[in-house]
Amino acid sequence: MFGWKIALIYIGTGLLVAIVAGIIIGRLKMEKHVQDYVWEIKVGDVDATEQSWPERFAYARNYTTGS
């Protein structure tokens, strides 16, 4: 309705606000306000391994395309 320029500005502004808010919330160190029971919640067994960036991109591509 408004055109692709306005759509890109809208998307860019939304991403910028989300990133800045995430950085601010991360620096506020709000972990002390989390209830103790939240830290104790376990949701199954996870075998997490450290992945390199190319491995992460390959996983994301395969997950997205279903191949």
Side-chain angles (χ1 to χ4, degrees), residues 27-55:
R27 291 190 179 183
L28 287 176
K29 305 291 186 199
M30 301 298 287
E31 291 86 0
K32 62 183 173 224
H33 298 290
V34 177
Q35 296 290 325
D36 290 335
Y37 76 90
V38 174
W39 297 110
E40 298 169 3
I41 295 174
K42 303 249 188 275
V43 185
D45 295 323
V46 177
D47 185 23
T49 59
E50 196 66 32
Q51 292 181 328
S52 66
W53 282 106
E55 291 171 330

Side-chain angles (χ1 to χ4, degrees), residues 15-33:
L15 285 172
L16 180 67
V17 168
I19 291 169
V20 170
I23 290 170
I24 291 171
I25 290 171
R27 291 190 179 183
L28 287 176
K29 305 291 186 199
M30 301 298 287
E31 291 86 0
K32 62 183 173 224
H33 298 290

